[in-house]
Amino acid sequence: MISSSEYGSHSWELLVTVDHQHEEIQKEFLLRVTGDLHIGGVMLKLVERIKISQDWSDYALWWEQKKCWLLKTHWTLDKCGVQADAKLFFTTQHKMLRLRLPNMKTVRLKVSFSSMVFKAVSDICKILNIRRSEELSLLRQSEDILKKKKKKDKDSKEPVTEDILNLCNAPVSSGLSGGPGLYSKTMTPIYDPLSGSPASSTITWFSDSPLTEQNCNILALSHPNCSPETLAEMYQPRTLADKAKLNAGWLDSSRSLMEQGILEDDQLLLRFKYYTFFDLNPKYDAVRINQIYEQARWAILLEEIDCTEEEMLIFAALQAQYHISKLSISSDAQDFTCESEADEVEAALSNLEVTLEGGNASNILEDITDIPKLADNLRLVRPRKLSLKAIKPYWFVFKDTSVSYFKNKESAQGEPIEKLNLKGCEVVPDVNVAAKKFGIKLLIPVADGMNEVYIRCENENQYARWMAACVLASKGKTMADSSYHPEVHKILSFLKMKNWTMSPQAVSDPESIDMKPECFISLRYTKKYKSKQLAARILEAHQNVSQMPIVEAKLRFIQAWQSLPEFGLSYYIVRFKGSKKDDVLGVSYNRLIRIDIATGDPITTWRFSNMKQWNVNWEIRQVAIEFDQNVSIAFTCLSADCKIIHEYIGGYIFLSTRSKDQNETLDEDLFHKLTGGQE
């Protein structure tokens, strides 16, 4: 007999399945509960019934039908909405996950399946010793890419064995972040700033980290390039629609892995999602710099981003420099502790920072009462639809964020022929150093699309000054901004890398240094030239970078990648409100671009700096954005969930709030407020 107090009308039976490894002990338990019993009480009752002596602290209740964790242990079953039909699982919050890093290495480690993805990525980065975890996220590969891989695996007779770095002993505890790795809050240098290898004396400070010195080298140093055959088998996007597939699988940062259908030992990609690399420093960021370099390298090799033949040879030369330096280090054990080289790396870093939105605070005290201006004889090129381009010389004056041009220098006191406001425009380099062509392509937003204007400069120095002014003006900045002079310097150094001349004694036999040029160049160019021709051209380009230390070669590679017109654009197929056809939306760190899906030409650009608000209508899955001057747009996303684009916009705005005087703790609540879209 059961007493009436125990078997009251308001009590009921709850089925809980326990995820434990003991085969001989039952896994399903029926608990008699009441609606006012809190979640912690359910867990206590359950552990008493299981009668297994073990640490249950990492276990929590997972509600299968609702796909949610019951983590608020003080909430009652009534408050959670749990009733008799609920199927609950008592399972660990931390589970094994396989992560494919940008350098194509796979690591296996324990990750929280109950934390929001933003927090889980932060913990992963601590284990892997990657600072600025907010720039990364987890990506699920799209079905099309996986189908191609499976087909290739079936075609190949030998089974593919994956080299996995096992970090499963990473220290994790419930509610705490992952182990510290080699992540130094005190900012004591933990890497050699020239070779990028861990400073061995510091490795023992973090003895509880699963990252040994050897593992650290695996993540901080690049490895021999893959064979051309492997490269040919990898997914290579041919069209904008193909590129849109690459960005469809980003996980929702505001939900947990388990809520998004990720299972134990699944494989995800850990990638840099936001292309704003803040505060890169080789003394602490060897792993981070290497992984950014690798992500850039693969993007170029697989043609996820377009570049010219001249640029492709520079990228190949910088990779070759890395390859050759590694060979010379292993054979000669060269000493890279020269102070001047260390200064070069610091200089490269200060140049690199220019590509991030921040300027240098020490230069802010310039005389801003008189904004500098440029005035030069340049040529204007107007594309004409039915005839050749019209090229005419004019007197150009650059002031504030506008370019005006006049018939000649004498008429500059009067009204200009035309004044072009560059705020919000697209600035595209149109350069061929070998042919002495230094052009700037300006795509200026107008009411019915984009006004296309080309400006031709006479030489490198003139081009660098005008190009830097145009880039800053497009962001709404003038030449008085502290980042103007470093931008000029950066453009000149990039042109210098492009400007190589063949010196017979300098180009050694490519076979003598064991270089396979097909490993450094995308397939489009390997089909165009013979292997020996390519090797000679790469070594010819290599002369300009042959003296660089390894880390600087990587930084220059990242810098060159950032200089490409398409850098930082993530593509999505969308349908704009009122439109009858699909378009591509490019999302960048500071703007949105509407692109014609057939031609790839930009139609309109909207800057984040002009944005007043953005939101999502979740019923019809439509993103709506309001800009200054009563401009508003709305679109539905066809190639991915609209939440992904919403999170991209909010994420970039969140990253723009970072400053160097902050400590490295992030305002997680602000991130979710800007990206969540649910409030």
Side-chain angles (χ1 to χ4, degrees):
M1 290 289 288
I2 299 169
S3 68
S4 57
S5 61
E6 189 182 345
Y7 193 78
S9 58
H10 61 287
S11 71
W12 36 276
E13 287 188 324
L14 178 65
L15 180 69
V16 184
T17 306
V18 181
D19 175 20
H20 62 69
Q21 306 305 314
H22 305 275
E23 294 294 328
E24 67 286 355
I25 298 172
Q26 71 180 88
K27 297 209 170 185
E28 290 192 348
F29 294 87
L30 270 175
L31 303 178
R32 181 152 291 280
V33 296
T34 57
D36 59 3
L37 180 65
H38 51 75
I39 299 298
V42 175
M43 290 160 68
L44 194 63
K45 269 193 171 196
L46 190 61
V47 171
E48 285 170 355
R49 285 279 303 278
I50 299 169
K51 294 184 177 141
I52 299 174
S53 176
Q54 70 169 67
D55 180 5
W56 296 101
S57 60
D58 191 40
Y59 276 68
L61 289 168
W62 166 255
W63 189 355
E64 183 57 33
Q65 298 104 313
K66 292 284 177 92
K67 292 274 183 277
C68 71
W69 288 92
L70 303 176
L71 298 175
K72 292 192 166 85
T73 51
H74 58 288
W75 279 24
T76 62
L77 292 172
D78 280 346
K79 190 170 181 180
C80 294
V82 175
Q83 295 176 337
D85 61 344
K87 286 181 184 170
L88 300 186
F89 283 80
F90 191 51
T91 183
T92 52
Q93 296 175 64
H94 288 85
K95 300 176 187 294
M96 297 310 296
L97 191 66
R98 285 177 300 133
L99 293 176
R100 196 98 189 269
L101 303 183
N103 68 345
M104 300 299 174
K105 276 273 174 201
T106 301
V107 297
R108 192 166 174 267
L109 70 173
K110 268 198 174 173
V111 176
S112 170
F113 274 57
S114 63
S115 300
M116 289 183 188
V117 164
F118 185 81
K119 177 74 171 69
V121 170
S122 173
D123 293 348
I124 289 164
C125 288
K126 284 194 175 92
I127 293 168
L128 300 180
N129 194 29
I130 298 173
R131 291 195 311 141
R132 307 292 174 194
S133 64
E134 66 276 11
E135 295 166 359
L136 299 97
S137 193
L138 299 173
L139 182 67
R140 198 186 333 222
Q141 275 190 308
S142 76
E143 290 300 316
D144 292 357
I145 297 169
L146 289 170
K147 275 178 198 164
K148 178 171 181 181
K149 278 191 172 179
K150 281 174 186 166
K151 185 173 179 292
K152 293 285 181 190
D153 290 348
K154 281 180 187 172
D155 294 346
S156 59
K157 290 172 186 174
E158 289 182 24
V160 179
T161 54
E162 198 171 19
D163 178 21
I164 295 181
L165 175 62
N166 216 327
L167 302 178
C168 54
N169 295 325
V172 287
S173 57
S174 181
L176 296 173
S177 63
L182 296 173
Y183 191 99
S184 173
K185 277 282 185 191
T186 56
M187 296 306 284
T188 308
I190 54 175
Y191 291 103
D192 183 307
L194 296 162
S195 69
S197 57
S200 53
S201 57
T202 63
I203 216 95
T204 52
W205 301 351
F206 305 101
S207 54
D208 61 339
S209 166
L211 271 181
T212 61
E213 191 168 338
Q214 178 194 354
N215 290 346
C216 226
N217 276 323
I218 289 170
L219 302 185
L221 301 178
S222 291
H223 292 272
N225 291 31
C226 69
S227 66
E229 295 76 32
T230 312
L231 196 61
E233 287 175 10
M234 296 174 82
Y235 181 80
Q236 297 187 35
R238 296 275 172 255
T239 63
L240 280 175
D242 288 345
K243 289 179 182 180
K245 287 174 189 167
L246 298 170
N247 297 300
W250 288 111
L251 295 189
D252 186 337
S253 295
S254 303
R255 293 162 65 215
S256 68
L257 292 171
M258 202 99 145
E259 288 170 72
Q260 299 180 68
I262 307 299
L263 304 173
E264 181 155 24
D265 229 28
D266 274 0
Q267 178 165 295
L268 295 172
L269 308 181
L270 180 70
R271 292 287 182 271
F272 288 88
K273 177 179 180 179
Y274 299 104
Y275 294 91
T276 49
F277 310 125
F278 188 71
D279 185 30
L280 277 178
N281 192 322
K283 288 178 184 171
Y284 325 108
D285 285 327
V287 174
R288 181 171 165 227
I289 289 169
N290 186 55
Q291 297 300 334
I292 294 172
Y293 161 75
E294 286 285 344
Q295 188 159 323
R297 188 167 75 88
W298 285 106
I300 286 155
L301 286 176
L302 299 175
E303 295 185 52
E304 290 169 15
I305 184 168
D306 289 337
C307 63
T308 64
E309 190 174 311
E310 199 176 48
E311 287 160 347
M312 182 62 80
L313 288 166
I314 288 174
F315 288 121
L318 287 163
Q319 289 177 73
Q321 167 61 6
Y322 186 85
H323 178 74
I324 293 161
S325 297
K326 287 302 295 169
L327 291 176
S328 61
I329 283 173
S330 55
S331 57
D332 308 335
Q334 285 183 338
D335 181 18
F336 277 138
T337 54
C338 169
E339 278 300 316
S340 63
E341 288 178 339
D343 293 341
E344 280 177 40
V345 177
E346 291 296 336
L349 277 170
S350 61
N351 295 345
L352 194 67
E353 281 174 16
V354 176
T355 55
L356 318 176
E357 281 294 87
N360 193 337
S362 62
N363 297 343
I364 277 169
L365 301 172
E366 290 184 32
D367 180 14
I368 53 171
T369 53
D370 181 30
I371 290 173
K373 68 177 186 179
L374 288 173
D376 262 321
N377 276 311
L378 305 172
R379 282 171 297 160
L380 182 72
V381 186
R382 284 250 185 224
R384 290 187 177 165
K385 286 182 180 172
L386 299 172
S387 65
L388 293 170
K389 291 176 179 176
I391 306 177
K392 282 189 177 180
Y394 291 100
W395 179 256
F396 279 79
V397 175
F398 198 114
K399 180 121 182 169
D400 292 332
T401 57
S402 309
V403 171
S404 306
Y405 60 93
F406 305 83
K407 192 174 180 183
N408 50 41
K409 187 174 180 179
E410 288 69 38
S411 59
Q413 301 304 320
E415 283 295 306
I417 298 168
E418 189 178 12
K419 185 176 182 179
L420 306 169
N421 183 10
L422 303 191
K423 198 171 176 183
C425 77
E426 292 297 306
V427 184
V428 182
D430 182 27
V431 174
N432 185 329
V433 178
K436 298 289 178 196
K437 177 187 172 187
F438 302 102
I440 301 167
K441 180 179 172 184
L442 301 171
L443 297 163
I444 301 162
V446 288
D448 56 345
M450 300 289 254
N451 182 9
E452 199 171 297
V453 179
Y454 289 79
I455 296 173
R456 286 273 173 88
C457 300
E458 291 297 319
N459 53 48
E460 294 173 20
N461 289 327
Q462 193 183 56
Y463 168 80
R465 293 197 311 272
W466 282 83
M467 183 67 178
C470 291
V471 168
L472 261 66
S474 73
K475 300 172 186 173
K477 296 177 180 179
T478 69
M479 287 186 291
D481 192 88
S482 60
S483 59
Y484 173 69
H485 293 295
E487 182 74 20
V488 173
H489 183 72
K490 187 192 82 174
I491 293 166
L492 282 171
S493 67
F494 191 38
L495 290 176
K496 189 186 169 194
M497 280 197 283
K498 285 186 176 185
N499 187 17
W500 61 79
T501 50
M502 193 87 163
S503 55
Q505 77 280 5
V507 179
S508 55
D509 177 14
E511 288 170 15
S512 67
I513 56 165
D514 183 33
M515 190 181 79
K516 296 185 178 67
E518 299 85 358
C519 300
F520 302 118
I521 296 268
S522 70
L523 284 174
R524 187 175 10 152
Y525 295 112
T526 54
K527 287 173 182 171
K528 200 172 168 184
Y529 298 100
K530 289 179 181 169
S531 184
K532 280 195 173 178
Q533 285 177 307
L534 272 178
R537 293 194 69 189
I538 291 169
L539 286 167
E540 183 187 332
H542 177 253
Q543 298 316 303
N544 274 352
V545 298
S546 59
Q547 301 306 311
M548 279 185 196
I550 290 176
V551 175
E552 192 184 341
K554 283 187 196 174
L555 288 169
R556 283 295 179 93
F557 192 100
I558 294 166
Q559 201 175 27
W561 176 48
Q562 289 175 311
S563 300
L564 297 177
E566 284 185 21
F567 167 75
L569 280 172
S570 303
Y571 299 103
Y572 293 93
I573 299 170
V574 299
R575 175 74 62 91
F576 278 88
K577 191 178 180 180
S579 174
K580 290 190 170 71
K581 68 181 189 72
D582 298 345
D583 285 299
V584 169
L585 185 75
V587 184
S588 181
Y589 70 96
N590 59 356
R591 67 201 188 283
L592 299 173
I593 308 173
R594 183 176 182 173
I595 302 166
D596 187 298
I597 197 166
T599 63
D601 294 335
I603 301 167
T604 319
T605 297
W606 302 279
R607 295 264 159 189
F608 291 160
S609 55
N610 299 335
M611 193 160 64
K612 283 158 75 175
Q613 66 170 15
W614 76 103
N615 55 58
V616 180
N617 182 332
W618 294 105
E619 285 180 27
I620 57 171
R621 316 296 288 176
Q622 187 181 71
V623 181
I625 310 174
E626 279 181 44
F627 296 92
D628 293 340
Q629 298 168 332
N630 297 323
V631 175
S632 60
I633 59 171
F635 56 84
T636 49
C637 188
L638 308 177
S639 63
D641 192 299
C642 65
K643 170 69 167 70
I644 293 178
I645 293 183
H646 181 279
E647 188 175 302
Y648 248 123
I649 296 168
Y652 273 128
I653 289 167
F654 170 75
L655 295 186
S656 71
T657 65
R658 297 181 296 180
S659 64
K660 276 195 172 180
D661 55 345
Q662 290 174 332
N663 59 17
E664 287 176 25
T665 54
L666 284 168
D667 188 344
E668 209 171 316
D669 291 340
L670 178 62
F671 176 84
H672 292 301
K673 197 173 177 183
L674 289 168
T675 61
Q678 305 294 349
E679 285 81 36

